[in-house]
């Protein structure tokens, strides 16, 4: 079994355990812990949903955390703390996704009903389901900090790790704000649109997907905070951008099984992506008018989705995304090289990073 | 100037400062901090709203924290840390209120537009305004933990304080779930309804209003964790319950200026309160049928609100709430006595606790 597989088998049950411990009622002794029956029943639904929403992730972030820790010769004594820290990132992701799905009013997540929809079904009320979903996101966000705070409490770098974890929370929250802001941007300046989209990727995705896992591992092995931030950014920022660009590209070039989403879903939703920006920038007048007409309309049918994919191809936007991804991956690899790890360690870290980008796009 | 007034003048600008530092973009050097213009503009709106939403609170929780710390002879060297910790509780309250207002779809808060409504107006879109409001709540919740984590980082009890602060977060989140659950309860068992309402008060209100401020002060002065929890609970639980009962009672007996809400607002919304439960428990058959008819209808007009207030009076529910509040206040005072403080210290703590309950109801 590979190290990755072993780690995955440790992480998965540990996430469920940590969430279950922290999603419910705090353990209180005596009468002040008592809870009225109807309340306890609804609380049980929320805890069950917390566990259900936590299932099914690819755990790339947790695996990167552990691979980076091992590559940097992290002390075996600290590894359990690192496992919990890694799980804390995954729990934070679930919290963010639960709120994301409320904001986008998404019905599905990872092929199952989204948390607020599932809770709506459990209690039989849309408004109460939405409210419980919002609280579930809050509960999971609090749990993620609590997991990390407890995991690193006795480490020398514990204080820095908690501070870095909170900074990560904030960056993703800022990223979500920027993502909402992009939807208010006009489409008349493709270069600005591309920059705004890459900005969202940096804050909303790269922050917690690649930069933070690397930074946490570096802090945990005792790297000075400035260096940790610098290396984590140098490796993680291009890697995280490439990860999100690849995700958007797969939505269009159709390896649907890899993302679990229907092909062209982003286009159907009218999402403003780097692909769209690149297509607009390279388009002839007729192509541009066609793209603008399709993207400014209130909805898009399958014929229009197919036409947009063809235009993304004709304008060279798809090829441009491939080039962007390859260049970013090369940047990330170079930055890994600058860590000057011994071969085996470098291989382990490279392997964990490679998993963020499909082989055909590296 | 009283100690309370002095503290208030310290707390108010410090909250604005702490929020402004943490609501915006994390200070990042170089290119990775750059942000597209439209994004920066929306982010500025969010930061401005974070500061605006933080204004106008009574600061009872922060003042109790500081009064308890002083009463327990807290070390003057630690007082700045305690001020920031106290501000952290207020910032957490704002975070919770922002999410509360989304859940209840409230237009107003403290006489101004609620955060999600204000953001809706700023960006000209209801769905984006709601999304930004949700994120603002998340940003403030993260900020509150960050404020506390940084404030107590060098204190001997720092780890326990952060853990207690996160536990407080969780309790309030559980309380919000219970509050939503109460709305799904049938009205046919008044005793159950009273218990469920008191339960909500314990988790959603007493937790962070009275129990946590006392507990934080006790931990900060070095009281063993078990004792701190016990004393904080013994004083804070009855005090917090009395505070919320008084708030609900004022809604009915009409000292509207004290709460800033229109008289009878809870009744108009059909809120399930201890007053309603006590009225149903003591009502004759005709009175009960009338109450049930009014509360199970989809809305209530002014005549019905007035009639409910009359029924709350006739059934003795108002008097029962007065008795409940007086008994709880007596319990809280006794528990303060068990701290065996010297007179001046006890007076200071008593004064801070008294502020939670209007004089006419103590």
């Amino acid at each position: 079994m590979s190290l990755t597989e072993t780690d995955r088998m440790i992480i998965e049950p540990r996430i469920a355990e940590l969430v279950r411990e922290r999603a419910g009622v705090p353990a209180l002794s005596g009468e002040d812990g008592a809870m009225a029956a109807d309340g306890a029943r609804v609380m049980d639904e929320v805890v069950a949903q917390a566990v259900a929403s936590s299932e099914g992730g690819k755990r790339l972030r947790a695996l990167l955390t552990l691979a980076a820790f091992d590559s940097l010769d992290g002390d075996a004594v600290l590894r359990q703390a690192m496992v919990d820290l890694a799980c804390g990132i995954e729990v934070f992701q679930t919290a963010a996704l639960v709120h994301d799905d409320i904001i986008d009013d998404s019905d599905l997540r990872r092929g199952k009903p989204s948390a607020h929809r599932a809770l709506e079904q459990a209690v039989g009320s849309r408004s109460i389901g939405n409210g419980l979903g919002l609280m579930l996101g809050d509960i999971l966000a609090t749990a993620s900090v609590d997991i990390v705070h407890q995991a690193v409490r006795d480490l020398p770098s514990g204080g820095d790790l908690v501070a870095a974890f909170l900074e990560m929370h904030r960056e993703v929250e800022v990223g979500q704000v920027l993502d909402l802001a992009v939807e208010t941007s006009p489409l008349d300046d493709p270069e600005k649109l591309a920059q705004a989209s890459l900005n969202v990727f940096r804050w909303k995705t790269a922050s917690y997907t690649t930069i933070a896992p690397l930074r946490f591992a570096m802090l945990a092995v005792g790297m000075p905070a400035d260096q940790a931030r610098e290396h984590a950014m140098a490796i993680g920022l291009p890697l995280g951008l490439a990860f999100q660009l690849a995700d958007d590209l797969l939505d269009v070039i159709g390896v649907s099984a890899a993302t679990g989403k229907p092909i062209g879903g982003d286009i159907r939703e009218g999402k403003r992506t780097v692909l769209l920006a690149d297509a607009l920038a390279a388009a002839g007048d007729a192509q541009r008018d066609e793209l603008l007409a399709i993207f400014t309309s209130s909805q898009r049918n399958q014929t229009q989705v197919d036409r947009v994919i063809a235009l993304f191809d004709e304008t060279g936007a798809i090829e441009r995304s491939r080039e962007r991804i390859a260049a970013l991956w090369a940047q990330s690899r170079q930055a890994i090289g600058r860590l000057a790890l011994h071969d085996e360690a470098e291989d382990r870290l490279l392997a964990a990073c490679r998993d963020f980008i499909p082989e055909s796009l590296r």
Side-chain angles (χ1 to χ4, degrees), chain A residues 177-209:
Chain A
V177 169
L178 297 180
D179 199 8
L180 286 161
V182 168
E183 298 305 317
T184 70
S185 299
L187 291 173
D188 57 0
D189 185 340
E191 199 176 320
K192 236 171 94 175
L193 177 59
Q195 198 208 331
S197 296
L198 288 167
N199 236 210
V200 172
F201 294 174
R202 179 259 175 272
W203 295 93
K204 189 175 167 181
T205 305
S207 54
Y208 83 104
T209 300

Side-chain angles (χ1 to χ4, degrees), chain A residues 11-338:
Chain A
I11 290 164
E12 202 58 39
R14 184 64 181 150
I15 290 173
E17 187 176 27
L18 289 165
V19 167
R20 203 179 291 278
E21 279 170 14
R22 282 170 181 77
V25 180
L28 284 173
S29 56
E31 222 181 326
D32 63 87
M35 189 169 282
D38 290 329
R41 193 180 50 77
V42 174
M43 200 59 229
D44 286 346
E45 297 281 3
V46 170
V47 175
Q49 187 57 45
V51 175
S53 290
S54 299
E55 288 166 356
K58 282 174 285 174
R59 310 308 181 202
L60 292 179
R61 293 152 186 92
L63 294 169
L64 175 59
T65 309
L66 294 173
F69 178 77
D70 292 343
S71 298
L72 294 161
D73 280 327
D75 190 335
V77 174
L78 305 182
R79 206 169 193 278
Q80 183 55 47
M82 290 311 291
V83 167
D84 282 4
L85 174 53
C87 292
I89 306 174
E90 297 287 331
V91 174
F92 167 71
Q93 178 182 34
T94 306
L97 296 179
V98 167
H99 279 180
D100 245 37
D101 287 343
I102 293 174
I103 290 176
D104 299 339
D105 202 21
S106 304
D107 295 329
L108 292 174
R109 169 63 66 180
R110 293 171 182 162
K112 295 187 294 186
S114 55
H116 65 291
R117 280 280 174 281
L119 288 164
E120 172 187 336
Q121 285 158 20
V123 297
S125 152
R126 177 142 192 165
S127 67
I128 295 180
N130 278 340
L132 292 175
L134 206 166
M135 277 306 113
L136 176 57
D138 285 357
I139 288 170
L140 288 168
T142 301
S144 75
V145 181
D146 192 42
I147 289 166
V148 169
H149 178 251
Q150 193 164 321
V152 305
R153 206 164 152 173
D154 298 324
L155 305 193
S157 53
D160 287 344
L161 280 164
V162 173
F165 194 75
L166 292 168
E167 192 177 314
M168 177 196 83
H169 268 241
R170 178 156 54 139
E171 292 192 6
V172 176
E173 289 150 5
V174 167
Q176 179 65 269
V177 169
L178 297 180
D179 199 8
L180 286 161
V182 168
E183 298 305 317
T184 70
S185 299
L187 291 173
D188 57 0
D189 185 340
E191 199 176 320
K192 236 171 94 175
L193 177 59
Q195 198 208 331
S197 296
L198 288 167
N199 236 210
V200 172
F201 294 174
R202 179 259 175 272
W203 295 93
K204 189 175 167 181
T205 305
S207 54
Y208 83 104
T209 300
T210 46
I211 300 169
L214 292 163
R215 188 172 171 209
F216 298 158
M218 290 168 183
L219 288 171
V221 301
M223 191 183 286
D226 283 3
Q227 276 181 46
R229 163 187 277 292
E230 217 170 286
H231 280 298
M233 194 65 84
I235 303 167
L237 180 54
L239 182 63
L241 296 179
F243 167 74
Q244 188 63 58
L245 283 167
D247 199 58
D248 286 2
L249 186 55
L250 289 182
D251 182 69
V252 165
I253 60 174
V255 197
S256 163
T259 63
K261 292 175 248 175
I263 294 168
D266 289 349
I267 298 170
R268 189 176 298 274
E269 288 172 23
K271 201 174 143 188
R272 291 159 189 215
T273 59
V274 175
L275 273 165
L276 173 60
D278 284 342
L280 287 170
D285 286 350
Q287 291 170 320
R288 178 178 303 113
D289 290 348
E290 203 178 348
L291 282 169
L292 289 176
I294 294 175
F295 272 86
T296 52
S297 107
S298 67
Q299 49 188 356
R300 283 144 293 276
N301 63 28
Q302 189 57 44
T303 313
Q304 290 169 315
V305 170
D306 292 341
R307 178 65 189 138
V308 169
I309 295 178
L311 284 167
F312 282 0
D313 194 21
E314 289 167 24
T315 55
I318 287 175
E319 189 50 33
R320 180 94 179 83
S321 261
R322 283 185 189 277
E323 287 163 9
R324 284 181 186 270
I325 294 165
L328 289 163
W329 171 237
Q331 267 184 48
S332 184
R333 263 188 336 199
Q334 278 170 25
I336 291 173
R338 288 198 294 277

